[in-house]
Amino acid sequence: MLGDDPAVREICDGGVTLDVEFTPARLRELSKMDGAVVLSSDGERITHANVHLVPDPTLPAVETGTRHRAAERTALHTGVPSVAVSASMTTVTVYAGGQARVLADPVVLLARADQTVATMERHGARTARARDRLDRAELGGYASVRDVVTMAQRLVRLDRLGAELAELAVEMGEYGRQTTLQLEELLADTPDELWGLVADHVAVDPAGGSTAPTAEQVATGLERLAALSDADLLLPGPVARCLGLPAEPEDLDEHVTARGHRMLAHIPRLRPVQISALVERFGSVSALLAAEQTDFADVEGVGALWARHLRQWLTGLVS
């Protein structure tokens, strides 16, 4: 048991009451006795050993073994995670939140993590190429629905691979530290890039009086993309519909105009409030590229210094 609170003590019968510091060696020796071992809620101390757990027998359980069924019902009864170890089957099962998870061997997890890292590296390279194509298309004024959809597919898939790798890193425990560092490097700005892509292209009802989407509209677009199945994510139609873009095959080459969120987010130290103000004022990448330094200076929150920096940075993009 990973927690010692009144609900846990209520179902403990017999055993030995302890209050000693947790160490792997002590846990190993105490586990040689029959019954459960109870740890403090912070996992720092061993509070009970050789305990017989008596959870509510009417709680549902899918396990067949006595020990695993007791652990499953105990987790449901107390709300505290329970761990069942089977020496004969060489498995460790964690029960928490109504779910059961069999922990894999760290060597197996490490191999899976290495495979996922390699997949993310390959997919990251393809994402970078899609980003370069979209950047050139937006700057040149010829971006299409297909360009946006391809970029969204790449970013969502990369984000999903990152979630899988993060889960593996958690399960690996101390063996997952290197994997976590690799994950941070591989994902980099992917969430921000995806947010900017949706903010640039999600459809907005012109009757609302603004061409810029609200935060809620961007969030809805992101939620729709996240809800796509892996199979639907491979198809341009479902992805385009998540953004409210034309989704028929003949519409994929239709021209789209980027609002500028994603491009402006690449400017170092430019604040989100400044980006929002610039997008609200100019409305498109082409308008931003055509604007003069004085036009930028007139935008609230930008000022003369940032106006000069913006003009120089944008000029460098097209030179």
Side-chain angles (χ1 to χ4, degrees):
M1 294 290 299
L2 302 177
D4 182 16
D5 58 26
V8 173
R9 290 191 290 272
E10 183 181 80
I11 64 169
C12 289
D13 182 33
V16 180
T17 300
L18 303 170
D19 185 18
V20 296
E21 181 184 0
F22 168 83
T23 66
R26 283 176 178 156
L27 179 62
R28 183 176 62 250
E29 293 302 316
L30 291 171
S31 297
K32 293 178 181 178
M33 297 187 292
D34 289 334
V37 176
V38 181
L39 305 184
S40 60
S41 297
D42 59 9
E44 296 292 331
R45 303 190 72 77
I46 301 174
T47 61
H48 298 82
N50 191 218
V51 170
H52 177 53
L53 298 174
V54 192
D56 183 353
T58 64
L59 290 171
V62 298
E63 297 288 1
T64 56
T66 303
R67 183 182 306 171
H68 288 74
R69 189 186 302 122
E72 183 180 11
R73 284 179 171 154
T74 295
L76 289 172
H77 186 119
T78 64
V80 173
S82 300
V83 181
V85 180
S86 173
S88 60
M89 299 179 64
T90 63
T91 60
V92 178
T93 308
V94 179
Y95 300 93
Q99 298 182 347
R101 179 66 175 266
V102 178
L103 302 184
D105 186 288
V107 175
V108 175
L109 292 173
L110 184 59
R112 288 170 55 191
D114 288 343
Q115 185 178 24
T116 305
V117 166
T119 302
M120 288 188 69
E121 288 174 341
R122 292 193 298 271
H123 197 79
R126 291 195 290 270
T127 302
R129 291 194 292 270
R131 181 185 296 111
D132 289 342
R133 286 194 297 271
L134 182 59
D135 286 345
R136 290 195 298 270
E138 288 181 349
L139 291 172
Y142 56 86
S144 67
V145 174
R146 190 185 307 276
D147 296 323
V148 175
V149 166
T150 299
M151 188 61 182
Q153 289 171 317
R154 295 279 187 261
L155 290 171
V156 173
R157 183 56 183 152
L158 191 61
D159 189 62
R160 291 184 181 183
L161 287 169
E164 293 176 13
L165 189 59
E167 187 174 332
L168 285 172
V170 170
E171 191 169 342
M172 290 164 66
E174 63 181 13
Y175 298 100
R177 294 175 183 172
Q178 183 64 35
T179 300
T180 300
L181 294 176
Q182 289 176 299
L183 174 62
E184 292 175 356
E185 181 177 351
L186 288 167
L187 277 184
D189 299 326
T190 296
D192 292 337
E193 187 86 10
L194 182 57
W195 191 96
L197 181 73
V198 174
D200 271 353
H201 296 286
V202 69
V204 175
D205 186 356
S210 174
T211 59
T214 63
E216 291 76 14
Q217 289 171 322
V218 176
T220 298
L222 291 170
E223 290 170 1
R224 289 173 177 168
L225 287 171
L228 287 175
S229 66
D230 289 339
D232 282 343
L233 185 60
L234 297 175
L235 303 174
V239 176
R241 279 189 284 272
C242 287
L243 302 177
L245 298 175
E248 298 302 320
E250 61 271 18
D251 297 328
L252 294 179
D253 292 321
E254 184 174 319
H255 176 263
V256 294
T257 300
R259 297 183 177 98
H261 285 279
R262 196 175 62 86
M263 181 187 70
L264 292 172
H266 292 161
I267 301 178
R269 296 184 300 279
L270 188 63
R271 300 190 305 275
V273 65
Q274 293 174 306
I275 294 175
S276 297
L278 288 164
V279 170
E280 185 69 33
R281 170 70 177 274
F282 297 98
S284 69
V285 167
S286 58
L288 284 164
L289 293 174
E292 298 293 338
Q293 180 174 322
T294 52
D295 297 326
F296 292 138
D298 290 339
V299 177
E300 184 177 357
V302 176
L305 182 62
W306 266 110
R308 182 170 67 253
H309 180 55
L310 277 166
R311 186 64 269 163
Q312 291 173 347
W313 196 88
L314 292 172
T315 300
L317 283 180
V318 295
S319 62

